[in-house]
């Protein structure tokens, strides 16, 4: 009888030991699962409709008397700004997978996940899709949630599916020696009158320079010849840097903001931008604008952006081959920024819109702060300052010593 109980005890101990060993082989991980749509359905879903309620406001873009506001990964809202005191939403373009736009001479270029789509907006009441270049962008290497430990690429059929987004779940999985994802590459890029070009904010990934549209993704730059505006041609793709987030153009150069620095390319050959140099800083979310011999870079720390510190860096680019840090200023929660004359506008997130006198870039002085508003990005136009923050589009008149509010237009 005693032997029987001893045997049962040994079995119980062995079972516990197996469970412990089993637990040691498993862990809880954050799994990113793709939100999929068939390419057929995806490419037939572009639609121009009456104004819609915005779900998640993204970037802003100005062209003529219109303001375009992106609805993140969903489409573009068109606002008639003929009267800045009373802007009016007039159209919505449903573009799944959209992040950026640029406009030249009434042709609007937009990314739609892997594709570039072109719209004729010469008649704003009758916007028309006129061209689609398929599989020219690689979207699978960015927009993956940074919290993800594992990505379920096996669920994607790259021939038939489009990834519109990602769903995060916590799952118990067997431990792997590879702690993160081996990112798959879908290299789809291999398969004379005065012009009117719009203006984007500092968070833009699209830039038009003369007859070329430049686009950047996570690590890749696309160069499109748009001499024939209705029929763009992808001329080249090239490596752009690592974790590229934004692009700014000034005086024959492209300035790319990444999470670890700023990359400079010249446009001597516009069809094939040439790498000039890079300026490295600590990890952080990083838009850049340029004015004269200085580049202004906001670096946002915390959360998914990297370090705890948030700063403005002033970089001397007098010699483009050797950009050097000239000054650093502390900020709270910076996003986009812009320059007009001697004023530097900084969107400091929940700390509001801040104005600095930059007559001496090495001795900036804050002249005004608009608190109690959420600020994300600005476009300093000739006559008005546009700013987006939260779900509101703000417009300001320029004053000798600052700006004054014209209107605050709710996007909801």
């Amino acid at each position: 009888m005693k032997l029987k109980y001893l045997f049962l005890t040994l079995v119980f101990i062995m079972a516990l030991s197996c469970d412990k060993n089993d637990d040691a082989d498993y862990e809880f991980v954050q799994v990113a699962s793709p939100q999929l749509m068939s390419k057929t359905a995806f490419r037939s879903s572009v639609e121009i409709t009456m104004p819609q309620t915005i779900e998640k406001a993204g970037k802003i873009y100005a062209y003529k008397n219109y303001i375009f506001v992106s609805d993140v990964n969903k489409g573009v809202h068109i606002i008639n700004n003929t009267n800045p005191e009373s802007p009016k939403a007039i159209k919505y373009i449903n573009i799944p997978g959209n992040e950026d736009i640029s406009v030249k001479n009434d042709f609007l270029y937009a990314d739609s996940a892997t594709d570039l789509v072109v719209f004729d907006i010469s008649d704003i009441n009758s916007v028309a899709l006129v061209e689609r270049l398929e599989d020219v962008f690689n979207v699978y290497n960015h927009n993956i949630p940074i919290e993800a430990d594992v990505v379920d690429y096996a669920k994607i059929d790259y021939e038939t599916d489009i990834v519109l987004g990602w769903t995060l779940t916590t799952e118990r999985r067997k431990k792997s020696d590879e702690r993160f994802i081996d990112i798959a590459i879908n290299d789809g890029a291999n398969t004379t009158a005065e012009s009117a070009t719009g203006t984007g904010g500092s968070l833009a990934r699209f830039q038009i320079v003369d007859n070329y549209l430049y686009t950047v993704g996570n690590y890749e730059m696309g160069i499109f010849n748009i001499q024939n505006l209705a029929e763009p041609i992808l001329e080249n793709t090239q490596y752009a840097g690592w974790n590229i987030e934004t692009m700014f153009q000034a005086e024959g150069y492209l300035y790319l903001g990444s999470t670890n620095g700023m990359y400079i390319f010249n446009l001597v050959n516009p069809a094939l931008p040439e790498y000039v140099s890079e300026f490295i800083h600590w990890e952080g979310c990083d838009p850049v604008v340029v004015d004269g011999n200085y580049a202004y870079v906001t670096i946002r720390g915390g959360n998914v952006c990297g370090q705890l510190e948030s700063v403005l860096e002033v970089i001397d680019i007098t010699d483009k081959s050797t950009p050097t840090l000239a000054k650093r200023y502390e900020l709270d929660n910076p996003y986009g920024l812009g320059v007009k004359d001697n004023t530097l506008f900084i969107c400091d997130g929940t700390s509001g819109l801040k104005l600095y006198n930059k007559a001496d870039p090495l001795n900036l002085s804050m002249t005004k702060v608009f608190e109690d508003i959420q600020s994300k990005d600005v476009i300093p136009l000739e006559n008005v300052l546009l700013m987006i923050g939260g779900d509101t589009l703000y417009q300001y008149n320029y004053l000798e010593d600052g700006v004054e509010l014209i209107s605050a237009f709710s996007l909801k």
Side-chain angles (χ1 to χ4, degrees):
M1 195 71 173
K2 290 181 180 179
L3 288 175
K4 176 180 178 182
Y5 287 125
L6 178 61
F7 175 76
L8 291 174
T9 300
L10 288 173
V11 170
F12 180 69
I13 292 172
M14 290 175 64
L16 285 177
S17 176
C18 288
D19 286 343
K20 287 181 180 178
N21 290 335
D22 186 61
D23 287 342
D25 291 337
Y26 285 81
E27 62 184 339
F28 287 97
V29 295
Q30 293 289 302
V31 180
S33 299
Q35 299 169 359
L36 302 174
M37 178 184 286
S38 73
K39 287 188 176 182
T40 301
F42 171 80
R43 287 172 175 150
S44 63
S45 60
V46 170
E47 185 181 12
I48 293 88
T49 72
M50 297 305 292
Q52 305 288 319
T53 299
I54 200 163
E55 293 188 24
K56 184 178 179 182
K59 302 174 186 181
I60 50 175
Y61 191 90
Y63 177 73
K64 294 184 177 178
N65 288 325
Y66 302 102
I67 299 172
F68 300 82
V69 181
S70 71
D71 206 334
V72 178
N73 288 325
K74 294 183 179 296
V76 177
H77 300 261
I78 304 176
I79 298 170
N80 186 328
N81 198 44
T82 303
N83 179 6
E85 294 182 358
S86 183
K88 182 180 180 181
I90 55 173
K91 290 288 180 183
Y92 173 66
I93 311 177
N94 183 62
I95 313 173
N98 173 253
E99 281 195 72
D100 278 89
I101 69 165
S102 273
V103 182
K104 180 177 180 180
N105 290 352
D106 294 337
F107 284 90
L108 183 151
Y109 303 91
D111 61 326
S112 180
T114 55
D115 301 349
L116 178 73
V117 288
V118 185
F119 296 87
D120 182 343
I121 61 169
S122 56
D123 181 354
I124 206 70
N125 294 310
S126 184
V127 175
L129 175 65
V130 295
E131 180 64 288
R132 176 185 287 272
L133 274 61
E134 298 181 356
D135 297 321
V136 292
F137 297 126
N138 173 15
V139 300
Y140 299 112
N141 290 351
H142 62 87
N143 290 334
I144 297 169
I146 197 157
E147 302 88 349
D149 299 305
V150 177
V151 176
D152 270 343
Y153 285 113
K155 295 180 178 180
I156 306 170
D157 184 335
Y158 291 98
E159 295 296 320
T160 61
D161 295 334
I162 288 287
V163 179
L164 295 182
W166 304 88
T167 300
L168 269 181
T169 56
T170 301
E171 297 182 13
R172 183 173 180 268
R173 291 198 174 192
K174 194 164 186 177
K175 287 184 177 179
S176 170
D177 290 334
E178 298 179 6
R179 283 302 303 130
F180 200 63
I181 44 183
D182 180 16
I183 295 175
I185 296 177
N186 175 32
D187 194 0
N190 292 332
T191 56
T192 27
E194 181 180 357
S195 65
T197 303
T199 306
S202 64
L203 303 179
R205 289 177 180 260
F206 277 25
Q207 292 288 341
I208 290 177
V209 184
D210 298 327
N211 289 323
Y212 285 88
L213 167 68
Y214 300 95
T215 70
V216 286
N218 189 39
Y219 64 89
E220 188 174 72
M221 183 189 303
I223 300 99
F224 296 85
N225 185 319
I226 57 170
Q227 187 167 4
N228 182 340
L229 293 168
E231 298 180 0
I233 298 171
L234 177 64
E235 286 203 359
N236 287 299
T237 60
Q238 65 185 67
Y239 180 73
W242 180 247
N243 278 349
I244 304 299
E245 297 178 313
T246 64
M247 177 167 52
F248 188 87
Q249 66 90 11
E251 299 177 350
Y253 290 87
L254 297 176
Y255 299 84
L256 312 186
S258 80
T259 56
N260 63 356
M262 176 186 71
Y263 296 83
I264 303 177
F265 288 78
N266 72 43
L267 296 176
V268 174
N269 177 1
L272 198 62
E274 179 184 13
Y275 169 84
V276 177
S277 64
E278 62 190 270
F279 174 82
I280 301 300
H281 57 60
W282 69 62
E283 194 84 2
C285 298
D286 174 8
V288 54
V289 298
V290 173
D291 184 58
N293 290 327
Y294 292 94
Y296 299 87
V297 178
T298 57
I299 306 172
R300 186 171 75 260
N303 297 323
V304 300
C305 292
Q307 304 297 322
L308 294 177
E309 294 183 85
S310 289
V311 300
L312 168 73
E313 289 189 337
V314 181
I315 302 167
D316 188 333
I317 55 170
T318 305
D319 181 354
K320 302 292 190 296
S321 64
T322 56
T324 57
L325 178 65
K327 191 77 172 182
R328 180 179 287 142
Y329 301 87
E330 290 187 3
L331 293 169
D332 297 323
N333 185 35
Y335 285 79
L337 67 169
V339 171
K340 179 170 173 53
D341 300 328
N342 280 330
T343 302
L344 172 66
F345 302 92
I346 295 181
C347 294
D348 206 6
T350 53
S351 293
L353 173 66
K354 295 180 178 179
L355 281 61
Y356 293 81
N357 184 317
K358 69 163 197 66
D360 179 1
L362 306 188
N363 189 27
L364 297 179
S365 58
M366 188 165 69
T367 58
K368 183 75 174 178
V369 57
F370 292 84
E371 299 176 326
D372 302 324
I373 58 173
Q374 178 85 22
S375 61
K376 185 176 181 181
D377 202 8
V378 290
I379 301 179
L381 298 175
E382 185 63 31
N383 298 316
V384 297
L385 175 74
L386 303 181
M387 186 187 78
I388 191 166
D391 298 316
T392 305
L393 173 67
Y394 300 89
Q395 297 189 66
Y396 298 87
N397 269 328
Y398 298 114
L399 302 177
E400 186 174 343
D401 59 349
V403 295
E404 66 176 358
L405 184 67
I406 302 173
S407 62
F409 179 70
S410 176
L411 298 167
K412 286 294 188 179

